[in-house]
């Protein structure tokens, strides 16, 4: 049975929460990403994948929070983290993955903002999944652009099952309605 094959890193027990998240699919508060570092089309490490993760976290921070599952494709199929782990060399383990993810988020969102994100791992059907839990922010959060230069200036928001960038008057209106 599927739910009996899923274990939490912290307690080693069945975690129906992960099963429920996978079964429920993507939503306002749940996002699936196949990888955090590797472009599956090219098989190579790609900074665009890291930027996608940062945009998703930023979007959750600017909305109502949520969970980002890394190692799961858009249909909820478990892919695991092996592809990403291979890019980490000797640090190709959960600790190394978390360190790389945190460094990426620190750079893109700021260390202070990224420190509010909880990163955990679960194993399901023999595959590791990274569960990034993001609480809603009490103030607007910006992400650096893909190029990573300058101050964070991209404003991303989770809207339904998508993360969208908003600008100008729309951004100001959203911020006024969301944070007052």
């Amino acid at each position: 049975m599927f739910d009996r094959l899923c274990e939490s890193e912290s307690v080693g027990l069945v975690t129906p929460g992960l099963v429920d998240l996978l079964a429920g699919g993507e939503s306002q508060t749940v996002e699936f990403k196949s990888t955090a570092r590797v472009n599956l089309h090219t098989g190579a490490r790609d900074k665009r994948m890291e930027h996608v993760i940062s945009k998703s976290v930023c979007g959750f921070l600017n909305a109502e929070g949520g969970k980002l599952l890394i190692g799961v494709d858009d249909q909820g199929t478990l892919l695991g983290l092996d592809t990403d782990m291979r890019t980490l060399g000797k640090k190709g383990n959960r600790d190394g993955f978390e360190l790389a993810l945190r460094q990426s988020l620190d750079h893109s969102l700021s260390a202070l903002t990224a420190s509010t994100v909880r990163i955990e791992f679960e194993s399901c059907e023999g595959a590791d999944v990274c569960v990034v839990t993001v609480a809603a922010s009490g103030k607007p959060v910006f992400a650096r652009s893909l190029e990573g230069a300058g101050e964070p200036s991209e404003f991303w928001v989770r809207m339904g099952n998508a993360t969208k960038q908003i600008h100008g008057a729309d951004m100001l209106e959203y911020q006024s309605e969301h944070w007052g």
Side-chain angles (χ1 to χ4, degrees):
M1 188 173 192
F2 182 71
D3 61 346
R4 292 204 174 130
L5 298 173
C6 298
E7 296 181 350
S8 169
E9 170 196 61
S10 55
V11 293
L13 300 173
V14 173
T15 56
L18 179 60
V19 174
D20 292 342
L21 290 171
L22 293 170
E26 294 185 316
S27 67
Q28 175 73 24
T29 57
V30 177
E31 172 75 5
F32 300 154
K33 291 296 177 195
S34 298
T35 72
R37 299 169 57 87
V38 175
N39 181 324
L40 294 180
H41 298 291
T42 66
R45 183 169 174 211
D46 188 335
K47 287 283 190 186
R48 290 177 293 187
M49 301 300 105
E50 293 176 26
H51 189 248
V52 167
I53 297 298
S54 295
K55 292 185 321 188
S56 297
V57 170
C58 186
F60 281 136
L61 285 161
N62 286 326
E64 58 191 79
K67 290 189 182 284
L68 170 63
L69 278 60
I70 304 171
V72 178
D73 73 10
D74 286 342
Q75 291 72 45
T77 303
L78 294 169
L79 302 176
L81 300 173
D82 290 345
T83 303
D84 281 333
M85 296 288 195
R86 284 192 288 273
T87 69
L88 299 170
K90 292 180 182 178
K91 285 282 199 175
N93 54 37
R94 288 177 173 186
D95 183 57
F97 183 89
E98 180 175 349
L99 181 61
L101 181 57
R102 285 202 180 279
Q103 287 173 341
S104 177
L105 292 173
D106 286 353
H107 173 74
S108 182
L109 302 174
S110 86
L112 183 60
T113 300
S115 71
T116 65
V117 173
R118 190 171 72 215
I119 298 173
E120 299 174 303
F121 296 89
E122 300 207 20
S123 184
C124 195
E125 295 186 336
D128 278 341
V129 175
C130 179
V131 181
V132 181
T133 303
V134 182
S137 176
K139 61 182 183 175
V141 175
F142 295 84
R144 280 194 170 78
S145 68
L146 176 61
E147 295 78 30
E151 291 296 312
S153 61
E154 294 181 348
F155 187 75
W156 297 91
V157 178
R158 187 73 178 173
M159 296 179 176
N161 66 347
T163 303
K164 298 184 179 190
Q165 186 177 18
I166 55 177
H167 308 276
D170 290 338
M171 177 184 68
L172 295 174
E173 183 178 342
Y174 179 86
Q175 290 176 354
S176 176
E177 289 177 12
H178 192 73
W179 288 286

